[in-house]
Amino acid sequence: MADALRWGILGAANFAAGHMGPAIHAAAGNKLVALATSNASKAAPFEAFCPGLDVFLDYDAMLEWDAIDAVYIPLPNHMHVEWTKKALAAGKHVLTEKPIAMVSSEIDELIALRDQTGLLVAEAFMIVHHPQWQRVREIIASGEIGRVAHVDTAFSYDNREDTDNIRNRPETGGGGIRDIGVYTYSSVRFATGAEPVALSARLKRENGVDTWAQVVGEMEGPGGRFTYSAMTSMRLPPRQEVVFQGDLGSITVSAPFNAGVFGEAQVAVRDLDGTIRTERWPTENQYVRQVENFARSVREGAPYPCPLEFSKGTQAMIDMVFANATEIAGPG
């Protein structure tokens, strides 16, 4: 594959084995060539779809290898900034899982390093690469549903039995807000161009991590100010939905975050007469699109759809939620 962007994966996470590894392997103009893992047995799922993969049992050794151009980092949240910096220092482009940092000020450091090195570093916020969300933004900007007045978002799953999961552990930067609040907050920012102006939150914790959170407030953007509500939970049955309510209609976004896994990606636009137009994307793979856009930015200088400045805005919103949260009792 001539001039393909050569990738190494830093950490054999299940998500990398099931989604991002295969996406890198399948993406046009890209080639998965290496994996670094502290446990050799975890390489098997990667080698199954990518025979001949070079496996390193030392993270630094892979970063020092000249045969890779870019690194994908799916390590636990608390390790993201440290290893992103190390990968940049090794001269690699970096795509790091969300949240790329634990607080927004850490992203300032990454922006400075990006600008200093000339390397691309970005957060792996895949939904902005999906035509479903690009279409939502187009519809809102067109004025078809009028002025956005309110947005409801919800994302939940139940992992209470998986006690060793990094999302259930405070020392690894766990919790529902950092894991899935990224989506319920950032998707609205992406679609509307709005930023929060006032937020309050209630949350429940178990073992030092938030397992349920309800955020309400106001956001303001080019289309004006609107009210906002977001629910995230790691203790409720699976649910994903976003609804944009305008004064001329509404947009309901189905399977907005795990398109193709949770369900088919759809956008349903309802007008004042109750007529519904539904647009569907049954086969798009947002992970493959993300990798291809990353390579295009590296090779051709194309603008990347999710720059660090956008990710900083999302992390600032997460910081705001934690700063304005009240803890309540009860099962999450």
Side-chain angles (χ1 to χ4, degrees):
M1 190 181 301
D3 202 30
L5 192 68
R6 301 166 301 174
W7 288 83
I9 297 178
L10 195 65
N14 290 335
F15 179 78
H19 294 285
M20 278 300 294
I24 295 170
H25 185 61
N30 293 268
K31 184 177 183 181
L32 179 59
V33 298
L35 169 73
T37 173
S38 58
N39 184 339
S41 66
K42 290 186 176 182
F46 295 86
E47 293 173 314
F49 66 81
C50 188
L53 190 70
D54 281 282
V55 178
F56 293 80
L57 298 181
D58 179 87
Y59 291 173
D60 289 297
M62 191 191 77
L63 292 182
E64 293 168 4
W65 196 37
D66 290 336
I68 59 172
D69 310 301
V71 177
Y72 166 63
I73 301 178
L75 295 170
N77 295 342
H78 71 297
M79 302 173 71
H80 287 176
V81 170
E82 174 190 0
W83 284 98
T84 298
K85 289 179 176 179
K86 288 183 177 181
L88 287 169
K92 313 302 183 186
H93 303 281
V94 193
L95 182 65
T96 301
E97 263 309 320
K98 51 78 195 165
I100 196 168
M102 298 293 285
V103 293
S104 61
S105 59
E106 292 179 319
I107 300 180
D108 287 326
E109 301 173 32
L110 300 182
I111 290 173
L113 286 172
R114 177 201 64 189
D115 295 345
Q116 175 185 329
T117 61
L119 297 166
L120 178 59
V121 54
E123 181 179 59
F125 186 58
M126 73 288 189
I127 72 167
V128 303
H129 304 270
H130 199 295
Q132 177 189 39
W133 276 103
Q134 294 163 6
R135 183 67 178 127
V136 170
R137 185 161 66 170
E138 289 173 358
I139 294 169
I140 291 173
S142 75
E144 182 176 353
I145 66 166
R147 181 186 64 82
V148 174
H150 180 74
V151 183
D152 284 303
T153 68
F155 194 172
S156 63
Y157 60 84
D158 191 341
N159 72 351
R160 75 186 73 204
E161 301 299 327
D162 192 3
T163 55
D164 291 331
N165 192 299
I166 59 173
R167 296 161 186 81
N168 284 321
R169 294 163 51 193
E171 69 272 17
T172 56
I177 290 174
R178 288 193 172 99
D179 185 42
I180 54 180
V182 173
Y183 297 109
T184 57
Y185 309 159
S186 203
S187 60
V188 179
R189 294 182 57 249
F190 177 77
T192 65
E195 299 292 348
V197 291
L199 291 178
S200 63
R202 298 184 304 156
L203 58 83
K204 300 174 184 178
R205 293 185 189 272
E206 294 177 20
N207 189 37
V209 300
D210 63 281
T211 56
W212 175 91
Q214 177 71 54
V215 177
V216 295
E218 291 182 275
M219 299 181 71
E220 187 168 15
R225 185 173 292 207
F226 56 86
T227 53
Y228 168 80
S229 174
M231 185 280 291
T232 54
S233 177
M234 302 194 300
R235 298 293 183 267
L236 291 174
R239 180 188 174 200
Q240 297 181 26
E241 190 174 57
V242 181
V243 179
F244 296 86
Q245 181 68 55
D247 57 10
L248 296 180
S250 64
I251 302 171
T252 299
V253 190
S254 301
F257 309 128
N258 291 130
V261 177
F262 182 80
E264 184 182 74
Q266 299 182 8
V267 170
V269 183
R270 182 186 179 99
D271 66 18
L272 294 179
D273 295 326
T275 302
I276 299 174
R277 183 186 78 253
T278 302
E279 302 179 23
R280 296 178 170 88
W281 295 268
T283 61
E284 293 289 348
N285 186 311
Q286 58 194 350
Y287 304 108
V288 171
R289 280 181 170 262
Q290 176 176 242
V291 174
E292 291 177 347
N293 284 338
F294 191 95
R296 192 172 296 114
S297 293
V298 170
R299 296 303 195 207
E300 303 172 15
Y304 191 66
C306 187
L308 286 177
E309 287 80 0
F310 180 81
S311 298
K312 180 184 175 182
T314 300
Q315 186 59 54
M317 190 169 177
I318 292 172
D319 295 347
M320 183 185 295
V321 168
F322 279 123
N324 291 286
T326 299
E327 189 168 345
I328 62 175

